[in-house]
Amino acid sequence: MRTTVGIIGAGPAGLLLARLLHNAGIESVVLESRDRAYVEHRQRAGILEQGTVDVLRAAGAGERMDREGLRHDGIELRFQGRRHRVDFPGLTGGSSVMVYAQTEVCKDLIALQLKEGGPLLFEAEALEVEGVEGDRPRIRFTYEGREDVLECDYVVGCDGFWGVARNAVPADLSRVFERTYPFGWLGILADVPPSHDELVYARHDRGFALLSMRSPTVSRLYLQVPEGTDAEAWGDEEIWDELERRFETEDGWQLRRGPITAKSVTPMRSYVHEPMRHGRLFLAGDAAHIVPPTGAKGLNLAVGDVVTFARALVRLRDTGSAELLDTYSATCLRRVWQAERFSYDMTTMLHRAPEATPFEDRLQLARLERVVGSRAAETDLADGYTGFPLD
Ligand code: RFL
Ligand code: PHB
């Protein structure tokens, strides 16, 4: 098999890239190791930045998002029983975010790709990327029980944190910057209308909690739990009791309970692999970087990377200039590091580390007081949350 761009992975990064290339008249093949149902139902992100919404619309993939997505103009910060709303459009000059689940983004992009785009092979597992320093990189993969080779002009590794593409960058050229956190998130889906009409980020002495949603009838909630926690160790009523404690306010706000339909634990990690390009291999999305979910940035970063790659390839085709391809890694990494900083700040401001000292607890509260008391600090948070611009 032969194509222009070989894409490994059909998460948001790989699927959107295939769509952008199709719209530009550039051929691609997507290889995805899992089956379609798995990719369409894996519970993950929920928040799309304004820039991501604009990209999906321009790609012709925004129709259902515009019908079913929920525009949010703010979030609530909650600590010491107090509530503070951060007004995004008022602080940023008009930006907002969209609540539309990653599962739905993937379903929409898969349907478009299968209808209009190039090949998208499920249960096709990339084994290795070869020859990235030459003109004809290849992906060795298995499909329907056989080993095969996809010859490409370019390979884009959109295969997430556990993928194989990154291995094709020689160890002596790779630099990894990493931090793991001594806690994770226990996430639940519940068939109950959200208890608040915007997301609530709560800092509590017992740990962080987040109220989010999937639709007007489905809530998504998270609890900070110790690293390595088994989701099944938490009973449903125990989860609701703990959420209630952490969201408690002085004004008697009420949490609605309902049947829990899914439960899982996510570890928390910050990770950046530099460079994001080696020869004709380009890394995009979680294959190159991970952020803790507190800033809601992971999917949005993946979108930024593939937009940058697609633009660069179109520039090469239209003008003969490889300049944007050559600067791909540096361009993406500028935005990646701003998102890493923002996600780290949000995480450390809102979570209680197991070994936190009373001094650190006070500092954390002072950081929150600063955000709610200073328009400059609040604007900085709103700017970061609604998204850093694509260059
Ligand atoms: P993905 O989604 O992991 O997709 C990679 C795909 O590659 C496939 N694959 C392979 N295919 C072929 N051959 C191989 N050898 C392969 N190895 C792997 C995998 O099966 C998979 O389908 O990466 P991508 O596309 O870069 O997308 C990144 C996002 O998924 C991720 O950053 C976000 O989900 C992070 N995230 C959030 N991001 C946001 O922007 N906003 C949020 O509100 C948000 N909340 C979250 C999140 C992530 C979470 N978890 C579970 C980590 C909340 C949570 C709880
Ligand atoms: C989600 O709805 O899954 C979600 C929302 C905001 C975050 C993380 C996850 O910061």
Side-chain angles (χ1 to χ4, degrees):
M1 230 197 300
R2 173 150 188 85
T3 190
T4 308
V5 182
I7 300 173
I8 312 176
L15 290 167
L16 179 62
L17 177 58
R19 178 71 185 169
L20 295 173
L21 295 175
H22 167 79
N23 289 348
I26 297 172
E27 268 185 21
S28 72
V29 172
V30 184
L31 305 176
E32 165 60 49
S33 56
R34 313 302 294 247
D35 64 25
R36 179 175 178 181
Y38 182 90
V39 172
E40 290 188 341
H41 293 97
R42 184 170 40 194
Q43 271 306 321
R44 285 190 164 183
I47 298 286
L48 309 182
E49 293 173 358
Q50 183 76 54
T52 296
V53 168
D54 295 342
V55 166
L56 289 169
R57 275 187 197 136
E63 196 208 329
R64 194 163 67 96
M65 173 188 75
D66 280 325
R67 250 192 352 261
E68 296 178 15
L70 309 168
R71 179 190 149 134
H72 278 203
D73 284 340
I75 55 169
E76 183 175 302
L77 294 177
R78 206 174 271 197
F79 58 105
Q80 296 197 301
R82 287 155 49 206
R83 312 167 58 173
H84 176 84
R85 177 168 189 262
V86 180
D87 167 15
F88 294 152
L91 291 160
T92 61
S95 296
S96 58
V97 295
M98 177 85 89
V99 173
Y100 190 63
Q102 179 166 329
T103 47
E104 307 314 299
V105 173
C106 288
K107 283 178 200 164
D108 295 346
L109 288 167
I110 287 170
L112 281 170
Q113 185 68 14
L114 294 177
K115 191 162 143 225
E116 302 169 4
L120 160 55
L121 308 184
F122 289 103
E123 300 180 72
E125 182 177 3
L127 302 173
E128 198 176 4
V129 184
E130 300 170 341
V132 300
E133 288 166 4
D135 291 343
R136 284 288 178 95
R138 293 172 303 280
I139 306 170
R140 276 201 306 111
F141 68 102
T142 54
Y143 184 58
E144 295 181 336
R146 284 202 324 270
E147 203 173 305
D148 208 338
V149 173
L150 178 62
E151 295 194 344
C152 319
D153 293 339
Y154 301 92
V155 173
V156 185
C158 300
D159 47 352
F161 184 65
W162 302 106
V164 298
R166 222 169 39 225
N167 301 339
V169 182
D172 57 342
L173 297 180
S174 288
R175 287 199 69 190
V176 164
F177 304 85
E178 188 168 22
R179 182 190 166 98
T180 54
Y181 300 83
F183 40 75
W185 279 12
L186 170 65
I188 61 161
L189 275 177
D191 281 338
V192 60
S195 303
H196 191 59
D197 53 5
E198 291 179 339
L199 271 64
V200 180
Y201 288 79
R203 187 260 173 217
H204 192 278
D205 286 344
R206 298 176 63 90
F208 170 74
L210 170 62
L211 180 153
S212 180
M213 61 201 71
R214 288 292 173 263
S215 73
T217 55
V218 177
S219 294
R220 175 84 169 145
L221 295 127
Y222 296 98
L223 277 177
Q224 176 189 341
V225 291
E227 191 183 14
T229 296
D230 173 9
E232 294 313 315
W234 280 74
D236 292 6
E237 285 313 305
E238 208 182 342
I239 294 175
W240 287 116
D241 289 347
E242 189 61 23
L243 285 165
E244 206 161 80
R245 279 191 207 106
R246 296 190 193 180
F247 284 124
E248 193 183 32
T249 63
E250 286 165 353
D251 63 6
W253 181 89
Q254 294 279 321
L255 178 69
R256 287 193 204 110
R257 298 184 179 210
I260 294 178
T261 57
K263 225 189 283 188
S264 62
V265 172
T266 308
M268 307 270 278
R269 174 185 282 119
S270 299
Y271 174 96
V272 181
H273 179 280
E274 295 187 359
M276 287 174 58
R277 173 211 180 163
H278 179 64
R280 286 183 175 240
L281 169 69
F282 295 76
L283 301 174
D286 281 15
H289 40 73
I290 297 282
V291 285
T294 328
K297 287 279 160 272
L299 184 158
N300 296 291
L301 278 181
V303 168
D305 293 347
V306 298
V307 166
T308 304
F309 176 79
R311 264 187 206 157
L313 198 57
V314 168
R315 171 75 69 91
L316 175 68
R317 181 196 60 190
D318 292 349
T319 69
S321 164
E323 189 195 339
L324 294 185
L325 280 178
D326 291 341
T327 53
Y328 169 82
S329 182
T331 302
C332 291
L333 284 169
R334 268 197 299 279
R335 191 161 172 272
V336 165
W337 277 109
Q338 285 306 315
E340 290 287 348
R341 176 190 63 78
F342 177 75
S343 305
Y344 173 86
D345 284 352
M346 286 287 279
T347 301
T348 54
M349 181 169 76
L350 290 163
H351 291 71
R352 190 152 194 287
E355 72 286 5
T357 62
F359 178 77
E360 285 161 339
D361 284 342
R362 282 286 190 276
L363 277 187
Q364 210 176 32
L365 292 172
R367 285 165 72 188
L368 281 158
E369 293 286 0
R370 175 77 185 155
V371 170
V372 307
S374 147
R375 192 170 167 91
E378 194 182 8
T379 303
D380 190 49
L381 189 151
D383 264 345
Y385 197 94
T386 53
F388 301 103
L390 286 167
D391 287 347

